[in-house]
Amino acid sequence: MFKLGSKKDVNTEYKCTIRLLDDSEVLQCDFQHLCKGQYILDYVCNALNLLEKDYFGLRYVDSHKQRHWLDLTKPVIKQVKGMNPIVFCFRVKFYPQDPFRLKEEITRYQIFLQLRRDLLHGRLYCPPNDSALLAALIIQSELGDYDSEEHGDNYVSEFKLLLKQTPRLEEKIAEIHQQQLRGQVPAVAEANFLRKACLLDTYGVDPHPVKDHKGNQLYLGINYAGILTFQGSRKTHHFKWPDIQKINYEGKMFIIHLMFPEDVKAKKKHLMGFKCPTQSACHHLWKCAVEQCYFFTMPSSSEVPSVTTGGGFFSRGSRLRYSGRVEKEVMDDMKNIRRDPPQFQRTLTRPPSFRQRTTASTMEMPSSPSRLLNDSSPLRSSVGPVTSQQLSQQPPVPQDSGDGFAIDEQPKRLGTPLELLDSGESGEENGSSAQRPPNHDLHVDLTPSRNTPVAEDDDGNPPDTPLSELAFDPHPTPEYDPEHESQEPAFVTPQQSRRIALVAWLLLPLLLILLLLVILMEWDWAPLADMQRLPEVVLLRKQYYEPTRDAIGTWISALFGPR
């Protein structure tokens, strides 16, 4: 008999650790066998006093070093089998298009912490001028105005802000901090940081390594505006959500079904195929793409399909049940929430060499949740919410002119939802997003890829190679030409030939079993006599074999007999 479970298993308590975005604090949470992922996320958001919790998620790494988002609808213990200890990372899962549409400053502060991490690990890649400005805004938020007696000359070098932090770049950061950001309180510096960061091409992008049909190394990014491809540090294509009809995967192949507005009448579809390192990585990429699409494009969660399937013949576990609200519902529900702006504690990462400065604006804050560790850290400062009057009195963030930093211009607010990644302000290569993609549906590279080991980041996760580490490719992908597209392949691809071979091998044992059954039922042979007299065989003959044989004989006679 199989052991389905016991009362002792149900009442067993498990412990997990949740790493927060500021790295100086962790949470400890106890949960039982039947607790689902939503229980852990609610626990963390309650500890942080977050109401707009739908933008966040819990990430973990399995025993095969594959990243996953914790499924909020499934029991936790079934998702983390083999993990000891159980560690989750609290991260931003859905980056809002405009952070200033979020209702509460405490939510925007968590977005700021996530983007600060992205900048440090190279995911928020940007030109040196922009990275220096963002780093200077972080220092302004941490230290306030420059004080020569307290900070000294080489104070920037004591901070780790960028993936590639050179002495020349540190000089630029110090120049901006000392000359252009004076007077900005932490909330204003963080707001200016968000205004600049959300205009970048790599905003909200967690790069997934893939290969195109030619075997070129690319990185796929998914955010509120669609699916983007990067070659080196350059954005090559941008597939917008309205143009994407379907997303699925086949083994290691991630497939995007596109139909552009000019092709609607002709019902002409285009396929884009990208090969992932492993099948589990491809499944993870597919889940991320589907969830991002539903969250940012659906008007309500009730219109989301209850079950989404995306895998093909070789893909297992390709069913997705979307849970939670969509962005429109989150914003509508937050309009009805009435509470005073919550006070929160900003965690500082200033080096120990800086003595802690106390100001008259520092106020005593309520204690953190009972399970919050490192609560007495000397690197914490208590800051209340900043009023709109205070924000209006602060100097604006200097805008980059392309060759320097010293342009005192009021920062621009965000535009329409799909405008950011196509506007001339968001990066160097935005014009390429208007190009049509190359045809990838007939020539798919299925050669095995090498698994290059990479160092783990501070999440304990094996990160994808940051975009800033990749070399610029001087040979860009050619423009898409729909005139040269063939609707049907002129040859059988290696993937199709392998599928045909597998089907043939599956049919061969079935035909062999049918042949043995006919021999057993029809052949009058002495060694088979005892077996033919068994009650089970007699019952099989009378109820199934003979009626089926007679029906087939009648059908053949009617089909080929005389008329």
Side-chain angles (χ1 to χ4, degrees), residues 253-508:
M253 192 62 56
F254 178 73
I255 304 170
I256 307 173
H257 300 250
L258 297 165
M259 180 176 286
F260 298 100
E262 58 269 25
D263 298 327
V264 173
K265 293 183 179 180
K267 296 183 179 180
K268 188 177 181 181
K269 295 183 180 180
H270 311 279
L271 299 182
M272 298 290 293
F274 301 95
K275 184 184 177 185
C276 299
T278 63
Q279 182 171 336
S280 59
C282 191
H283 180 245
H284 174 64
L285 174 59
W286 170 76
K287 287 186 65 177
C288 291
V290 172
E291 290 178 335
Q292 294 276 341
C293 179
Y294 286 159
F295 183 80
F296 288 110
T297 63
M298 284 293 182
S300 66
S301 57
S302 60
E303 299 185 29
V304 176
S306 57
V307 178
T308 303
T309 58
F313 187 79
F314 296 104
S315 304
R316 297 181 300 167
S318 57
R319 295 166 62 88
L320 171 66
R321 295 182 182 272
Y322 182 83
S323 62
R325 300 175 294 179
V326 298
E327 185 182 38
K328 188 177 185 302
E329 291 177 324
V330 175
M331 293 188 174
D332 292 341
D333 293 344
M334 287 303 297
K335 293 178 182 178
N336 302 323
I337 300 297
R338 297 289 184 267
R339 72 167 180 174
D340 295 332
Q343 296 179 342
F344 59 94
Q345 295 177 322
R346 283 179 166 84
T347 302
L348 306 181
T349 59
R350 64 179 65 170
S353 59
F354 293 111
R355 64 178 181 269
Q356 185 178 8
R357 297 187 300 171
T358 57
T359 62
S361 61
T362 302
M363 61 184 67
E364 183 178 358
M365 299 298 298
S367 60
S368 298
S370 59
R371 292 186 180 271
L372 202 58
L373 304 184
N374 300 333
D375 188 53
S376 58
S377 172
L379 301 181
R380 300 177 60 87
S381 67
S382 303
V383 184
V386 179
T387 63
S388 58
Q389 182 179 3
Q390 289 175 301
L391 287 172
S392 62
Q393 294 174 353
Q394 302 300 325
V397 60
Q399 296 296 304
D400 178 20
S401 64
D403 55 355
F405 303 93
I407 294 183
D408 295 331
E409 179 182 352
Q410 183 66 26
K412 298 182 179 180
R413 295 303 297 270
L414 295 177
T416 57
L418 296 178
E419 197 173 82
L420 298 180
L421 293 178
D422 292 334
S423 65
E425 302 173 14
S426 57
E428 296 177 337
E429 299 292 336
N430 285 305
S432 62
S433 63
Q435 299 176 0
R436 298 290 291 277
N439 181 20
H440 288 191
D441 55 336
L442 301 184
H443 307 283
V444 178
D445 180 20
L446 292 176
T447 56
S449 60
R450 298 179 180 177
N451 295 326
T452 304
V454 293
E456 294 185 351
D457 64 9
D458 55 349
D459 294 343
N461 300 331
D464 301 322
T465 304
L467 295 175
S468 55
E469 289 286 338
L470 302 177
F472 178 81
D473 186 2
H475 306 290
T477 306
E479 291 189 6
Y480 176 79
D481 186 2
E483 298 297 331
H484 294 84
E485 182 185 50
S486 172
Q487 292 299 314
E488 296 294 336
F491 56 91
V492 178
T493 63
Q495 183 180 8
Q496 293 173 330
S497 62
R498 280 199 292 269
R499 183 180 299 181
I500 294 173
L502 180 59
V503 171
W505 279 105
L506 292 176
L507 289 177
L508 186 61

Side-chain angles (χ1 to χ4, degrees), residues 75-336:
V76 176
I77 200 63
K78 290 186 177 181
Q79 302 181 60
V80 296
K81 291 181 179 179
M83 286 183 59
N84 188 21
I86 301 175
V87 179
F88 299 111
C89 296
F90 179 73
R91 298 292 181 258
V92 176
K93 186 175 183 180
F94 303 107
Y95 291 73
Q97 175 209 346
D98 184 355
F100 296 96
R101 294 176 63 188
L102 300 174
K103 184 173 182 179
E104 297 191 324
E105 183 188 354
I106 190 173
T107 311
R108 287 192 293 273
Y109 178 67
Q110 296 296 325
I111 303 293
F112 165 76
L113 292 179
Q114 177 68 70
L115 291 173
R116 190 174 69 180
R117 294 180 60 87
D118 294 345
L119 183 66
L120 173 61
H121 295 293
R123 292 185 292 269
L124 186 64
Y125 176 77
C126 53
N129 289 350
D130 292 339
S131 61
L133 175 59
L134 293 174
L137 287 167
I138 294 175
I139 291 183
Q140 179 67 25
S141 173
E142 298 251 345
L143 301 182
D145 295 341
Y146 173 71
D147 186 337
S148 58
E149 295 183 358
E150 180 177 358
H151 301 147
D153 295 331
N154 298 323
Y155 65 101
V156 176
S157 61
E158 300 189 39
F159 288 85
K160 182 58 179 174
L161 304 169
L162 306 172
L163 184 66
K164 291 185 176 181
Q165 189 167 314
T166 62
R168 183 177 179 181
L169 199 55
E170 290 175 354
E171 293 177 2
K172 278 286 187 182
I173 296 171
E175 178 185 346
I176 299 172
H177 175 232
Q178 296 171 19
Q179 300 179 7
Q180 302 175 27
L181 304 181
R182 183 170 295 275
Q184 295 188 13
V185 297
V188 175
E190 292 160 7
N192 288 328
F193 180 96
L194 292 176
R195 288 191 180 97
K196 185 66 178 178
C198 65
L199 294 176
L200 299 173
D201 283 341
T202 52
Y203 169 73
V205 168
D206 187 13
H208 299 262
V210 296
K211 289 186 178 181
D212 64 6
H213 69 292
K214 295 182 179 179
N216 298 323
Q217 182 67 56
L218 301 176
Y219 282 79
L220 280 186
I222 308 165
N223 63 9
Y224 66 89
I227 301 177
L228 303 93
T229 63
F230 295 88
Q231 192 167 27
S233 58
R234 181 175 57 91
K235 185 180 75 173
T236 54
H237 295 108
H238 174 202
F239 309 121
K240 301 178 181 179
W241 292 126
D243 297 333
I244 298 176
Q245 281 206 327
K246 182 181 178 182
I247 305 170
N248 67 332
Y249 71 101
E250 182 75 43
K252 297 181 182 180
M253 192 62 56
F254 178 73
I255 304 170
I256 307 173
H257 300 250
L258 297 165
M259 180 176 286
F260 298 100
E262 58 269 25
D263 298 327
V264 173
K265 293 183 179 180
K267 296 183 179 180
K268 188 177 181 181
K269 295 183 180 180
H270 311 279
L271 299 182
M272 298 290 293
F274 301 95
K275 184 184 177 185
C276 299
T278 63
Q279 182 171 336
S280 59
C282 191
H283 180 245
H284 174 64
L285 174 59
W286 170 76
K287 287 186 65 177
C288 291
V290 172
E291 290 178 335
Q292 294 276 341
C293 179
Y294 286 159
F295 183 80
F296 288 110
T297 63
M298 284 293 182
S300 66
S301 57
S302 60
E303 299 185 29
V304 176
S306 57
V307 178
T308 303
T309 58
F313 187 79
F314 296 104
S315 304
R316 297 181 300 167
S318 57
R319 295 166 62 88
L320 171 66
R321 295 182 182 272
Y322 182 83
S323 62
R325 300 175 294 179
V326 298
E327 185 182 38
K328 188 177 185 302
E329 291 177 324
V330 175
M331 293 188 174
D332 292 341
D333 293 344
M334 287 303 297
K335 293 178 182 178
N336 302 323

Side-chain angles (χ1 to χ4, degrees), residues 532-552:
Q532 291 172 346
R533 286 193 293 268
L534 291 174
E536 293 83 358
V537 177
V538 174
L539 184 64
L540 177 64
R541 179 197 298 272
K542 296 296 183 182
Q543 291 192 1
Y544 299 100
Y545 178 76
E546 290 182 353
T548 303
R549 181 191 60 185
D550 296 339
I552 294 176

